[in-house]
Amino acid sequence: MTDSYAVFGNPIAHSKSPLIHAEFARQTGQEMVYAALLAPLDGFREAVSAFRAHGGRGANVTVPFKEQAYALATRLTARAQAAGAVNTLQFEATGMLGDNTDGAGLVRDLVVNLEFSLADKRILLMGAGGAARGVILPLLEQQPASVFVVNRTSARAVELVNHFRSLEGGAPGFRFAASGLQGGGYESLAGAFDLVVNATAASLAGDLPPLPEDVFAPNALAYDMMYGKDTPFLAFARARGARTADGLGMLVEQAAAAFELWRGVRPQTAPVIQLLREA
Ligand code: NDP
C-alpha cells in the first residue's frame, strides 16, 4: 500500500501543503500520497485516529489544532515541547511523535534562502499567538543579540517570555541563553531592530500593528509570516528602506523539515518556492 500522509485543519481547502509534498515526493522519488483533510472543530482526535486506522503514516496539523496535536502526541521533540504546539505527527508502532517544524522553517528561510544571519542581531517578534510561540526557541538558538516579543495584549507577550526564560538551562536540547529575551506592549518599544518578524494575524485583516517610525535599523529585514499578497506591514517597511520578505519560504521550509522526518530524505526547497511564486 502506498504510504499516506495528510494535513488536518479547519478550514483546509486553501492549503498548499498537498502541492508542496507532491513536488517533494516527485523530486526525491518517494512513493507516497498526501491529502488535505478537514477535521470537525470538535473532532480532531477522531479524525487523526480514523486516518491512522486506514494506514496513515503521519500528518501535518494547522490552525486551529496545533495545541490539540501537542496533547495527542505521546512523545515530543524539544522544540515542540518548548512551543507547546505540534505541526507534525509521525505515527509509531505504539503512539506518535509530535514535532514543531515552524521555527526551523522560519530560521532556514532567513539564514539559507534570504542569507540573513541571525547571530548578534536585534530581533523584534510581533505577536504572542501560536506562530510566535513556535519560532522563539529556534530564533534563540541562532544566538541573536536580543529578541523582543511585542504584542497588542502586552500580558501575553510577558507570559510567553517568562515561559521561555523558565526553560533556560532546563532540559537537554535547550541550548540558548534567554537573558536577551524580553517582552511587552507596542508602547514599550524603543530603539531600532535588524529583523522585524510579523507573527500576528493583523495582515489577514489588512491591519498594521502600531510600530514606531524608527523601528528599522539600517539594512533591516522585515519578514511577514503571511504570504500570497502584499501586506500593510511590508509596505510600511519598504517605505522606510527595509528589505522585505513574505512567509512563503517558511511554509515550504517547515514542510521540508516534516518530509525529512517522515521519509529520511531532504527535498530541495528552492524550486518549490519558485513554483508557488509563479502560481
Ligand atoms: P493566533 O490567532 O494564535 O495569534 C494572533 C496574534 O496576532 C496575537 O498575538 C494577536 O494579539 C495578534 N493580532 C491579531 N490582530 C492584530 C492586530 N490588528 N494588531 C496587532 N496584533 C494583532 O495566530 P497564529 O499565531 O496562529 O498566526 C499568526 C499569523 O502567522 C497568521 O497570519 C498565519 O497565517 C501566519 N503563519 C504563517 C506560517 C507560515 O508557514 N508562513 C506558519 C504559521 C502561521 P492579541 O494577543 O492581542 O490578540
Side-chain angles (χ1 to χ4, degrees), residues 63 66 102 126-132 151-154 156 186 198-205 207-210 223-227 247-248 250-252 254:
V63 178
K66 289 183 187 179
D102 282 338
M126 300 196 285
N151 196 45
R152 181 173 62 181
T153 311
S154 60
R156 287 187 77 198
Y186 285 92
N198 187 6
T200 74
S203 297
L204 288 173
D207 288 339
L208 174 68
Y223 192 101
D224 201 321
M225 283 195 190
M226 200 172 118
Y227 50 82
L248 189 68
M250 172 178 174
L251 177 77
V252 175
Q254 62 77 27

Side-chain angles (χ1 to χ4, degrees), residues 79-80 82-83 100-108 111 118 123 132-144 147 164 175-176:
R79 59 196 187 186
N100 189 319
T101 64
D102 282 338
L106 171 65
V107 167
R108 198 172 163 99
V111 175
L118 298 171
I123 301 176
R133 272 188 96 88
V135 303
I136 290 178
L137 180 67
L139 286 176
L140 288 171
E141 286 183 335
Q142 296 294 307
Q143 311 282 333
V147 175
F164 279 90
R175 309 175 308 276
F176 65 90

